[in-house]
């Protein structure tokens, strides 16, 4: 009975994680602009990775491998936002018509209140 | 249409010239040097005796070059085709095909002392092949250095100095707090993991190439996160050449010694150790370290050469502030 419950928990979480990756793939191919694509890719990199590795942790039981999988989540969650940050920075700094895609936020609120 | 195409072929016009937003910036020093060298070649060629003498030598040797090239090509193709004709036909049973792999699987641990069969293969049975691979990496680094290195001997002008340093400052990510924090948190883990892969190559998947790649990636992250100047403190051109040379020379001598002993039927004095321990596998561990050093230095060298044209501080940072003011005045 216990094994059966564990199997169903693993199956549900794993399916949710795979669904996240499917959403990510569809988004990467359907969106046209690079920042939108990065937004779509972020779904799989954070939620999909978490759900799949969590299900694997439950499936493998309490052992040394659980810690290794936890380290995998931590490492990916630290590195992928950093690289995403630089990708978006390059896009914003080098695209000449960035204004047609995104609305730049001004830091000074009094300067252009009402416009844009 | 046809005339446009013809003029494009002849290099007179460029139809998409207006579409590209690239431009050439003038470098007066380099232009001056180019015209000087052209002038020198022209005055040399205009002297009465010189050109005919050069042509005579060239004619005499070009014929021999052609004949030798054709002969060596024919010789190589005959040798290769003969080798192919000795191979078993398509669909026939090849009795020799499994001989070597069976031996590796059955006696690999006993003969090399390495639990990881791949490490035993590439660094013991086929160490000569791995030596060639390390030299390929070394040669690639040398070629990139020949093409991209900018120093004083390579006709470096003050303009290039100025642009190298300006790009260094403009593309510098080291001031970014996110990258800096992440580098501080992750660098020790990355380097320790790379060293673990490197040292544990004979017991688990890994070894020199993969461990060296991880360490090289760590070095690149270090130089991106903490600035090129911080990396210059411990890695410059001289350190890189010394590390690469010592690794390759050690590899060659160690493996040459083992080959010499094996060819003469002597007993190998290097202990194999118990399989599974960290000091096991005879020469595999030191050779792994040598290969890892070469791979990591090659990776970092590629990054550094493509980024700024040198490993370490070759550019003249002292003259920067003066030139910056000068060039800034010109631009505005």
């Amino acid at each position: 009975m216990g094994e059966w419950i564990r199997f169903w928990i693993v199956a549900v979480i794993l399916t949710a994680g795979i669904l996240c990756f499917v959403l990510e793939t569809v988004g990467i191919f359907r969106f046209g602009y690079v920042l939108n694509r990065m937004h779509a890719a972020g779904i799989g990199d954070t939620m999909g990775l978490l759900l799949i590795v969590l299900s694997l942790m439950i499936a493998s039981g309490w052992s040394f491998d659980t810690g290794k999988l936890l380290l995998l989540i931590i490492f990916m969650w630290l590195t992928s936002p950093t690289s995403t940050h630089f990708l978006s920075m390059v896009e914003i700094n080098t695209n000449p018509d960035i204004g047609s895609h995104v609305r730049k936020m001004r830091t000074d609120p009094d300067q252009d209140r009402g416009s844009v | 249409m046809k005339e446009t195409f013809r003029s494009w072929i002849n290099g007179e016009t460029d139809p998409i010239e207006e579409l590209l937003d690239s431009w050439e910036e003038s470098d007066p020093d380099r232009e001056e040097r180019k015209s000087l060298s052209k002038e020198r070649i022209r005055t040399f060629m205009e002297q009465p005796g010189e050109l005919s003498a050069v042509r005579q030598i060239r004619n005499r040797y070009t014929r021999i070059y052609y004949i030798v090239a054709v002969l060596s090509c024919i010789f190589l193709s005959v040798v290769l085709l003969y080798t192919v004709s000795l191979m078993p036909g398509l669909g026939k049973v090849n009795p020799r095909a499994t001989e070597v792999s069976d031996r590796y699987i059955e006696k690999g641990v006993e003969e090399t002392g390495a639990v990881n069969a791949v490490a035993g293969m590439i660094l013991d049975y086929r160490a000569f092949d791995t030596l060639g691979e390390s030299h390929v990496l070394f040669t690639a680094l040398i070629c990139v250095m020949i093409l991209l290195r900018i120093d004083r001997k390579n006709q470096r002008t003050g303009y290039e100095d100025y642009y190298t340093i300006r790009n260094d400052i403009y593309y510098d990510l080291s001031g970014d707090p996110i990258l800096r924090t992440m580098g501080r948190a992750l660098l020790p883990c990355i380097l320790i993991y790379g060293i673990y892969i490197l040292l544990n190559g004979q017991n688990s998947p890994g070894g020199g190439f993969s461990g060296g790649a991880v360490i090289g990636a760590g070095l690149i992250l270090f130089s991106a996160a903490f600035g090129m100047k911080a990396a210059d403190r411990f890695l410059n051109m001289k350190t890189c050449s010394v590390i690469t040379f010592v690794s390759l020379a050690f590899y060659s001598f160690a493996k040459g010694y083992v080959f010499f002993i094996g060819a003469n039927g002597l007993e190998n004095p290097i202990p194999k150790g118990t399989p599974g321990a960290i000091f096991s596998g005879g020469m595999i561990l030191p050779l792994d370290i040598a290969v890892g050093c070469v791979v990591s230095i090659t990776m970092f060298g590629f990054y550094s050469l493509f980024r700024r044209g040198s490993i370490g501080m070759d550019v003249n940072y002292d003259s920067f502030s003066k030139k910056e003011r000068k060039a800034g005045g010109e631009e505005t």
Side-chain angles (χ1 to χ4, degrees), chain A residues 67-83:
Chain A
K68 283 185 185 176
L69 291 169
L70 193 69
L71 277 177
L72 187 69
I73 296 180
I74 293 173
F75 196 80
M76 286 300 289
W77 276 17
L78 284 178
T79 50
S80 90
T82 315
S83 52

Side-chain angles (χ1 to χ4, degrees), chain B:
Chain B
M1 188 66 200
K2 203 174 171 184
E3 285 172 8
T4 322
F5 184 69
R6 186 173 292 159
S7 67
W8 176 63
I9 288 289
N10 291 331
E12 287 156 7
T13 57
D14 192 358
I16 57 166
E17 194 172 21
E18 293 166 3
L19 300 178
L20 304 172
D21 58 345
S22 67
W23 65 90
E24 284 190 11
E25 299 177 44
S26 72
D27 182 0
D29 299 353
R30 186 168 281 280
E31 293 301 323
E32 197 180 323
R33 282 183 194 183
K34 267 188 196 168
S35 64
L36 265 180
S37 69
K38 268 184 193 168
E39 183 74 29
R40 212 177 298 137
I41 291 171
R42 214 175 57 225
T43 48
F44 176 74
M45 284 305 194
E46 274 170 359
Q47 286 170 10
E50 299 290 344
L51 191 60
S52 59
V54 170
R55 272 196 186 141
Q56 267 182 2
I57 295 169
R58 209 178 269 168
N59 279 339
R60 200 184 301 152
Y61 283 105
T62 37
R63 203 164 290 162
I64 300 174
Y65 283 145
Y66 283 142
I67 294 169
V68 170
V70 169
L71 281 182
S72 56
C73 277
I74 291 173
F75 175 71
L76 263 181
S77 25
V78 166
V79 167
L80 291 175
L81 285 174
Y82 179 67
T83 316
V84 168
S85 74
L86 289 182
M87 288 164 77
L90 188 65
K92 302 266 175 60
V93 178
N94 187 1
R96 286 185 166 182
T98 56
E99 196 180 303
V100 177
S101 51
D102 282 349
R103 166 119 186 179
Y104 288 163
I105 293 167
E106 282 166 11
K107 292 197 168 179
V109 177
E110 182 192 326
E111 281 179 352
T112 63
V115 179
N116 183 11
V118 177
M121 237 179 271
I122 66 168
L123 285 168
D124 200 304
Y125 290 117
R126 297 186 175 182
F128 202 58
D129 178 60
T130 313
L131 178 66
E133 280 163 20
S134 325
H135 278 95
V136 165
L137 286 176
F138 180 57
T139 317
L141 183 61
I142 289 175
C143 292
V144 171
M145 222 179 258
I146 288 170
L147 288 173
L148 296 180
R149 192 182 170 196
I150 306 168
D151 60 357
R152 281 186 216 309
K153 286 177 192 163
N154 187 16
Q155 288 202 339
R156 190 185 184 91
T157 58
Y159 175 87
E160 283 166 343
D161 250 354
Y162 164 68
Y163 270 90
T164 309
I165 300 167
R166 204 186 74 162
N167 284 346
D168 241 19
I169 292 171
Y170 186 76
Y171 294 111
D172 202 8
L173 304 172
S174 58
D176 196 274
I178 294 177
L179 185 61
R180 223 186 164 94
T181 318
M182 280 304 125
R184 202 166 284 157
L186 290 177
L187 256 176
C189 309
I190 293 174
L191 289 180
I192 285 176
Y193 184 58
I195 291 168
Y196 162 74
I197 293 179
L198 194 64
L199 296 185
N200 216 24
Q202 70 272 35
N203 297 331
S204 64
F209 287 101
S210 34
V214 173
I215 294 176
L219 286 177
I220 292 173
L221 175 62
F222 176 80
S223 67
F226 299 102
M228 280 302 217
K229 272 189 166 178
D232 284 349
R233 267 184 228 145
F234 62 93
L235 263 182
N236 52 27
M237 192 66 93
K238 198 172 179 190
T239 333
C240 284
S241 357
V242 167
I243 291 174
T244 319
F245 172 74
V246 168
S247 309
L248 287 177
F250 168 73
Y251 194 120
S252 312
F253 278 119
K255 225 43 222 184
Y257 173 68
V258 174
F259 284 148
F260 179 74
I261 284 175
N264 287 311
L266 299 171
E267 197 174 336
N268 194 347
I270 299 160
K272 293 209 171 59
T274 50
I278 187 155
F279 289 111
S280 67
M283 290 302 291
I284 290 179
L285 179 61
L287 294 184
D288 254 345
I289 295 172
V291 173
C293 287
V294 174
V295 172
S296 57
I297 292 295
T298 307
M299 276 187 68
F300 180 75
F302 275 5
Y303 169 75
S304 186
L305 282 167
F306 275 97
R307 165 96 192 272
R308 71 210 290 234
S310 69
I311 306 174
M313 200 156 22
D314 268 354
V315 286
N316 193 1
Y317 276 89
D318 300 331
S319 65
F320 179 57
S321 55
K322 203 170 63 189
K323 274 181 186 129
E324 184 189 27
R325 257 180 274 128
K326 199 173 126 198
E330 280 169 6
E331 276 171 9
T332 50

